[in-house]
Amino acid sequence: MTEQLSRLNRLVYRAERAFVASALLVMALVVFLDVAHRTFSGERSKGLEAFIKVIGWFGPDLSEGTAGHASALAVLPWVAFALFAGLMWAAARAATRGAMPHARAALVAVGGTAIAYGMVLVLVRLLPNGLIWSQPLALILTLWVGFIGASMATYEHKHLRVEAVIRKVPPRLRKYVDLLSSTITALFCFGMTWVSIRYVRFSYEEFVSTGGQGGVFVGLDIPKYVAFMALPLAFGIMTARFASVGVLAYQGRLVEADPLDGLVDEKTKQALAVAVGEVSTGAVRPPSDVPTEAVRPIRDDDPLPDASPDASPDASPRTRASRSVGGVVTSRASDVVTDRYGAADENDDENDVPTGKDGAAR
Amino acid sequence: MIWRNLTSLSRARILVALLLVTFLAMSMSVGGGEAEAAQWSPEVEDDFDMDAPSGPRGSAMLVLLLAMVAMISLGSPLFMILGVIAALCFFMYSDGYADWGACSTLDPASFCGYDSFPAKMAGLSTKNVLLAIPFFVVSGAIMSAGDIANRLVAVARSLVGFLPGGLAVAAVGGCVFFAAISGSSPVTVIAIGSVMYPALIKGGFSPRFSMGLVTSAGSLGIVIPPSIPMLVYAIVAGGAAPIDVGELFMAGLVPGFMLAGLLSIYSVVLAMRGGTGHREPFSWVAVGRALRDGMWAILLPVQILGGIYSGLFTPTEAAAVSVVYALIVELFIHRHLTLAQLPKILVESAVMMGSLLIIMALAFGLNDFLVEEKVPDQAIVLIQAMDLDVVKFLLVVNAILLVAGALMDSISAIMILAPLVVPIAIKFGIDPIHLGIIFIVNLEIGYLTPPIGLNLFVASSVFNKPLGEVIRSVVPFILILIVGLVGITYIPSIAMGPVNVILRDKPFYERFPTGDPEAPRRDDMPAILAPGEGDGETKVLSMQEMTEISEQALILCDVAENVVEAEKPDPVQAWLDGIARQGATNAAVLEPAKKAAAAAGSPQAYKELAAAMKGVLEQDFECEELEEILAKKPGAAAAATE
């Protein structure tokens, strides 16, 4: 039963990941295309206005009605072309791998710019009315990404929390406190689910009673109740997840994750230590003082905490009780990144709870 | 006694918890409406008297405090603390306007007091600026996935390496470049620190100075645009005064560079005195080579700011373009990112966005309560009762913000404090943009002040040093930043000058606000008059007068319609009779109408009437029947007005 539930949890998390990643990409692309469309279509081009404004900073006044306006109009496409082609040329020359010789780079630059311009023309032709719906759509997706992200943050234990006091709780009481805390949070989330369902139903009534005229986003054909379904969905999942965290804590199946997970990879740390010459390679790092809420369930491949009591702190996941440091309002590890994407992430799907390099090094 | 047995760190933590409680209690007590003016003074953190308020409100406050203490002791997530506080506030202070029983049903027709919560959250989907946050997070994460720290440091070194202590100045410069791209202070410390800390030590600087420098210069991330806390400020403070994100970004530019300059000057002076003034020869070739590698990263903020200020994009669109730009650069030019790694970055950004958005959503619930209970207004009354002038007020604001910055992360601090402080500051004549920069710089220093200085923790673990040592290392830098803060606070031109010149077409010099509540308006605002004031042309009408006029204008049309339908023999006379019967006597309506009727027959008759009505109603007034009357009987009109 527990096994099936946790598998379901993981499945939901994977679906959420797929959703937020594609939603973020779609949002960015749609708004970008909207910008491109508006810059290259219509009589009053934003690009022209910007060009005139920028030139105006340097002196010559080319605003509408002056003698220079017509020449600005004539010269702008060529300036833009030269700018893009120049950038593309420099890019082709500077690419990290496969940098091109001059002639080929120039060819790629001119050809690439022409193709890009052609694509914009196709875009303008295909969508003569532009993508005015892009930003409202992206905002709805933001709502979805945000709340699904909050539900994922529950899975990853990455919600900001105040835990000055909880760290001082004696170890044997800790599991009861955790259970209580998680239960209350789950109850709160359930309450939010409930009022969100009320709100979605309200939007639905608005949509139905007006025969599909009201309760719809302006400029979009998406009914509001569809967009707002993100709320009960996310809060519903969070209710279940907080409840499961409570159960896991009560069973003593939560361990402290390395607070530096995702902050710095092991390679960078070692390189730093060697460069400074203070720590020899391979030395055991003391537990860091970074305050964190990061806990994760014990994975199957973890050695049991009480099976290896003498192990060094880095050799096994530390049980929470053994640590006395901590803080109050904590940061998200996801906030902090350095070249960690460089390291290939092996079987990412299996380790969907962030384990970091601590786990990888073991 | 127990106090002494604790380590300094745990002492700090307990203090923090206490301060956090008093801090929130402070804002709550204003909500209770019974707080005394003195409670707003900075000393209140030390000896807040919980017994002071009494009666039902006092006990309600006690419940709030207990709930807060309980949730903090349980280590509850921040979003739940905010949500529960807001829910309790609504429940206890609502005075029966809401039907709590309705909450237990799913019937959407009934109104339940908590329906405003999901409404607020759903309302986030109307805030365009919000969209910029995920975009900037994603583009920063994509861009900093590779080795841009090295590239940026190389550019900074080639540019300023010739100065004495040039290495330290280059570290500051690298932080400025990186901050403009990633917008996150801790990321800046790690990325630039990993490169520059070893280099600085090799260059002869002391470890303490090196650590302090990169830790504090890394905090510039939120001052230099684009910055996510600035976006949050624009969204939160936007309720009190519309805030242009472009202006806010522009206002952060000079203070950011000024603070970087102050840190650089300190480094140069120290290097010259300490004999570590190693200088690298300056060569244009080196600059060119470094730029060739580094320009792609530097072009990201250039594209964002250039796009915004040339008018090509809005800040939101600039953010979306920056995502596409960062993708192209990392996939095709830097080639540090493969498509397979992209989902991971996107997911991490989404999780970060999620933990942020849910706090924002519930904090808006709390703000809703504060506004409903007119807490900012009460705070204004309290502040005015304290006889504060602008100088002292700004001092208090700075003190509160520094404490808040030391206690919580920048975004939570903005969410909680901005809705309270911004309306008051506007009353004092402080520009909300200027105030925003004061907020950001204070909270930037908050990254360096214990107990919750995020950069301190990050530096401590990245450089493998005890926290105490890191704290000692940043002390001189905090002092420098505070000098800068004082300048930014009391010389508004530093922040507002570029905004005035470039975006507002005003002179560079920004007058220091006089703080006279009688004259809080800016020079370019039209005069505000009371009803009845003004001359004949632009008399100010009360709501009642306006209603009367629009009603009587409608009567005019209605009567005209009847006249036309009944085909009266003398339509104009019938019309005038009808008006009199209906009691349309308002001079403002009748006079222009009669005048127009008198002119009937002339080609301008209808035009005149329409213009007159437009003047009355300030909107297009269509009255086809009237036109019909006037057109049908050209001669009758003159007789009618006799």
Side-chain angles (χ1 to χ4, degrees), chain B residues 272-410:
Chain B
M272 284 171 81
R273 209 186 289 159
T276 44
H278 171 67
R279 305 169 69 151
E280 292 166 3
F282 182 87
S283 89
W284 285 109
V285 179
V287 172
R289 201 172 297 141
L291 268 182
R292 205 188 94 154
D293 287 336
M295 70 177 277
W296 305 106
I298 295 174
L299 274 181
L300 182 86
V302 169
Q303 167 258 313
I304 292 171
L305 297 183
I308 294 175
Y309 298 126
S310 65
L312 204 51
F313 326 128
T314 64
T316 309
E317 291 164 354
V321 173
S322 77
V323 173
V324 175
Y325 175 80
L327 268 178
I328 291 174
V329 167
E330 281 301 321
L331 286 176
F332 299 116
I333 304 177
H334 288 173
R335 301 203 172 180
H336 259 280
L337 187 75
T338 61
L339 273 180
Q341 291 159 354
L342 190 59
K344 199 171 175 209
I345 297 179
L346 292 174
V347 165
E348 278 180 19
S349 306
V351 170
M352 193 206 150
M353 179 74 193
S355 57
L356 200 76
L357 191 81
I358 193 165
I359 291 177
M360 267 170 102
L362 286 158
F364 271 119
L366 193 58
N367 287 351
D368 203 28
F369 170 77
L370 294 179
V371 170
E372 203 142 292
E373 291 287 310
K374 297 197 168 58
V375 174
D377 298 350
Q378 293 177 28
I380 291 170
V381 173
L382 287 181
I383 295 271
Q384 283 173 348
M386 286 165 68
D387 263 347
L388 279 181
D389 56 10
V390 187
V391 176
K392 279 192 211 132
F393 171 72
L394 282 174
L395 197 67
V396 173
V397 168
N398 276 329
I400 291 178
L401 282 169
L402 281 177
V403 173
L407 293 184
M408 44 186 131
D409 73 284
S410 52

Side-chain angles (χ1 to χ4, degrees), chain A residues 199-222:
Chain A
Y199 190 68
V200 169
R201 286 196 48 156
F202 173 76
S203 309
Y204 180 71
E205 289 291 315
E206 191 188 356
F207 179 72
V208 169
S209 64
T210 54
Q213 299 300 305
V216 178
F217 284 101
V218 182
L220 281 174
D221 280 339
I222 300 176

Side-chain angles (χ1 to χ4, degrees), chain A residues 258 261 296 299 301-302 346 351 355-362:
Chain A
D258 183 346
D261 267 0
R296 60 174 178 80
R299 289 197 318 275
D301 53 338
D302 281 342
E346 73 285 354
N351 300 350
T355 59
K357 312 301 177 227
D358 200 339
R362 223 176 297 128

Side-chain angles (χ1 to χ4, degrees), chain B residues 439-464:
Chain B
F439 257 78
I440 301 289
V441 174
N442 269 299
L443 297 174
E444 182 225 333
I445 297 174
Y447 274 106
L448 303 174
T449 44
I452 307 297
L454 199 49
N455 279 14
L456 298 177
F457 296 119
V458 169
S460 150
S461 77
V462 173
F463 305 134
N464 206 6

